[in-house]
Amino acid sequence: GEEKWPRGDQKTWTSSMRNVFTETSDVTKSIVNHVQTSLARAPYNLDDFGAYQAAALATRDNLIVNWNETQIHFTRKQPKRAYYLSLEFLMGRTLSNALLNLGIQPQTEQSLSSLGFSIEDVLVQERDAALGNGGLGRLAACYLDSSATQELPVWGYGLRYKYGIFMQLIKEEDGSQLEAPDPWLEHQNPWELPRLDVVYEVRFYGSSERLNDGSGRAVWSGGQEVLAVAYDVMIPGYGTRNTNNLRLWESKPKRGFDLQSFNAGDYEHAVEASNSAAAITSVLYPNDHTTFGKELRLKQQYFWTAASLADMMRRFKNMDKPINEFAEYNAIQLNDTHPTLAIVELMRMLVDEEDVPWSQAWTIVTNTFFFTNHTVLPEALEKWPVPLMQHLLPRHLQIIFDIVRRFFLSVEKKFPGDVARLARMSLIEEGFPQQIRMANLAVVASRKVNGVAELHSELVRKNLFPDFVEFFGKSKFSNVTNGVTPRRWLDQCNPALSQLITDTLKLPRDVWLKDLYKLEGLLQHVDDPKLQKSWAAVKRQNKERLAHFVEQMFGLKVDASAMFDVQIKRLHEYKRQTLNILGVIYRYLLLKNMTPEERKKVNKKVVFFAGKAAPGYYVAKLTIRLIVNVSRVINADPDTNQYLSLFFLPDYSVSLAEVLIPAADISQQISTAGTEASGTSNMKFCLSGGLLLGTVDGANIEIAEEVGEDNVFFFGHLTPDVDKLRYEHTYHPVPVEQKCPELAKVLDAVSSNIFGGNGVYEPLLNTVRQGDYYILTDDFDSYIRAVEMVDEAYQDQTEWIKKSIRTTAKMGKFSSDRAIQDYAQEYWNIESSRVSE
Ligand code: Z15
């Protein structure tokens, strides 16, 4: 029957209920209230960190109110929902974003000021939530922001790692990278709601018995069971009450102690079992673009997908719809192959637990899942050994083999007798051991497959999955070019530019921030000297902020009138930080050989690097060491250091990016053509009016299409050339002295130990001298010429500023709002619904 709501007197309830506090006086009361109660601290002698905690708690209360309304709204409405499954969410700081999205930034600033605090000092107290490695994880965070802003019923699902990406230290003695743990939860995390009532059991190991009743069902039993506990992170939309959910799972033992072992006196064994359960969500794997086949990583993947699917199934069942309608109410986006086990798990749930016949279950599954590929690098394509899968997930291996068998039959039917094709398309790679190709599984079971930029999506079709395109047809494979949220990556990190844009467009900020194509309106003002002057002043102000930051860190003066040239991203050979540092050395050697008079004509430049290397990636770590040691020599050289200086900023993070990006005159996006799927920092720099120096790769191409080729600096060989060049390197190698003498001189300078090292850099230099897989010897000359063009262009400041304005003006396409709209309409088929005021 109908439940009576509320208990007690409705008026008493409603008259006591609060809404979002938007009045400054209410914000102040709430902050002080949290100081007195939640923090139990005396109001006087409160420090900046205490003020941060109180402001965070006050803001969180507002978020909770909206979050609750949103969850009730969508539970009542029962729309189709989309779920974004990602092992990484690189969120960064939350407070400033929450204040912006709630529209209470000015009130909170005022309130803090009247309590004696400056909001800038308070905001930087927050630690980053760094549950991700790089681009893939940050993309997930941008997509959550855009989903909430567009009032779409989208939830994220991930893991609540106790340790996020490691903290990077640079050793004083030799300049190399050291990793330290990131215990980000040490001080309570106000942005999550522990849901100790939302718990699922997840099984590992054991055995699977098929029921021989012709149903295809099996019973999986025994093994180890662990608990998945939900922690909900609130994701506010900008300019809306809609506040979505990011649900992160934490693992814990089912029982604190295994009583049986305990009674038997085997205390250590009992404690071990409880440790191994907690270990599952203990740490984020810090490898980007490589797979290691570690059992714990597979455990993470299954733990997360099993808990997430159980949760979705429970929500679906609460709606009382027939199971066959599952795909009408649920769309699941797989962020890379990491969550591919979700496909197998849903099959298991449908067949074994819901008693759905195999072919019906397969129809449901193949209508539910969508798969995004983020790389074509072979070392990043996940494969899991069959024996490991057999041991850890015996039932899932059976299901995988059942999928393989049926898929083989259908390929055989379409292409009879084509054994080679079957081998290429198989989900199982033969070998010792056999391996499961997760990408092939994801493709076979998904309704659509997409790459993340036009060129990349083309390579996905032509190089990665050509047989599957032939088999399933072209329309299953498409493109969604990545995007970034303009709230964080323009308004928050570059408030002065945001204000200038608002003034110039004569549009309210919230209009253009939700419809980024409106930036095009800047084009009519490009020639306005007043705008040019203000534009340059904003850039200068951001450069001074960065200069100040670096001066504090290194105790060295930074000239904010010099060109700021920035490359910040994970260290990887394909991203070619090596090309950049070799170019810097080349420039240094040139400067050294000039007379003081000649030097005065040179464009002054400050080069910034930042980024982490995977702890086991030897060559990438050597690159960091080289950059650091080159910087020590260059910055200390009185002949040249007014003209060229170099900084490697340690511990790259979302918050550091927020300082670096607005200050860049130019960014380097110089991956070997065809290797960077999209890139997203390229979009962020351009949004802040930093020009692009790059290769014809990933989203660089689409950026150039938007802003025009004369506003970007392109260089290097094109994607179709790369295979041929590599072939030449292997079969007709030409010594670098002959092929590229300028580069050879640079390599020799490093070898001669002018930057110290005593020969340690040889393995790094040899990646260029021998094999040169990333074609530095082919691109170096063209790169140096492009850098010269950049220098020349910078001499004409007015022209440069115009290029900068034009660049920002054409960034509309690269809003993650556009990307999420694409997914919502073309993939998920979900609709917006606004939570009422
Ligand atoms: C990662 O950050 C990316 C791809 C991967 O396969 C892995 Cl494992 C991590 C990056 C791409 O390298 C980058 O080009 C792209 O912009 C980003 O994903 C988001 O799609």
Side-chain angles (χ1 to χ4, degrees), residues 72 125 324 396 415 603 813:
I72 292 166
Q125 298 300 312
N324 281 328
H396 295 76
F415 302 99
N603 180 31
K813 174 175 174 183

Side-chain angles (χ1 to χ4, degrees), residues 134-136 139 288-289 336 338 374-375 452 482 574 676-680:
L136 171 144
L139 184 76
D288 215 39
H289 293 97
D336 219 305
H338 316 148
H374 292 265
T375 185
V452 291
N482 285 166
Y574 87 80
E676 188 70 274
S678 160
T680 42

Side-chain angles (χ1 to χ4, degrees), residues 309-466:
L309 270 167
D311 200 42
M312 291 174 212
M313 186 59 85
R314 187 171 76 172
R315 195 164 308 114
F316 174 69
K317 287 201 159 177
N318 280 339
M319 299 199 304
D320 265 328
K321 305 281 180 196
I323 191 80
N324 281 328
E325 290 177 19
F326 188 87
E328 272 75 59
Y329 288 90
N330 299 283
I332 302 176
Q333 191 70 40
L334 305 174
N335 197 24
D336 219 305
T337 53
H338 316 148
T340 301
L341 278 173
I343 289 164
V344 190
E345 175 66 1
L346 184 56
M347 281 305 287
R348 188 192 68 79
M349 292 166 78
L350 293 171
V351 172
D352 292 355
E353 291 173 1
E354 304 299 328
D355 219 352
V356 178
W358 179 280
S359 63
Q360 268 181 50
W362 187 245
T363 303
I364 295 172
V365 164
T366 50
N367 280 315
T368 300
F369 288 98
F370 300 86
F371 167 47
T372 305
N373 169 278
H374 292 265
T375 185
V376 296
L377 298 192
E379 65 268 33
L381 298 180
E382 281 192 301
K383 289 170 195 167
W384 288 106
V386 166
L388 175 59
M389 193 70 76
Q390 165 69 47
H391 179 57
L392 190 70
L393 300 166
R395 176 57 182 142
H396 295 76
L397 186 66
Q398 288 176 339
I399 291 171
I400 290 168
F401 277 122
D402 286 353
I403 295 173
V404 169
R405 190 158 18 81
R406 282 156 204 266
F407 181 61
F408 259 41
L409 288 175
S410 60
V411 176
E412 170 65 29
K413 199 165 160 198
K414 191 157 181 177
F415 302 99
D418 195 341
V419 185
R421 180 187 301 267
L422 280 178
R424 290 195 305 270
M425 294 179 80
S426 179
L427 313 192
I428 308 291
E429 187 170 287
E430 292 306 328
F432 306 94
Q434 290 181 311
Q435 310 230 68
I436 305 162
R437 294 169 173 156
M438 302 309 272
N440 289 16
L441 176 53
V443 167
V444 168
S446 293
R447 204 158 105 199
K448 279 187 148 239
V449 177
N450 75 286
V452 291
E454 291 290 351
L455 171 67
H456 169 64
S457 296
E458 167 114 353
L459 297 175
V460 166
R461 285 190 295 263
K462 299 255 161 75
N463 298 356
L464 228 41
F465 306 125

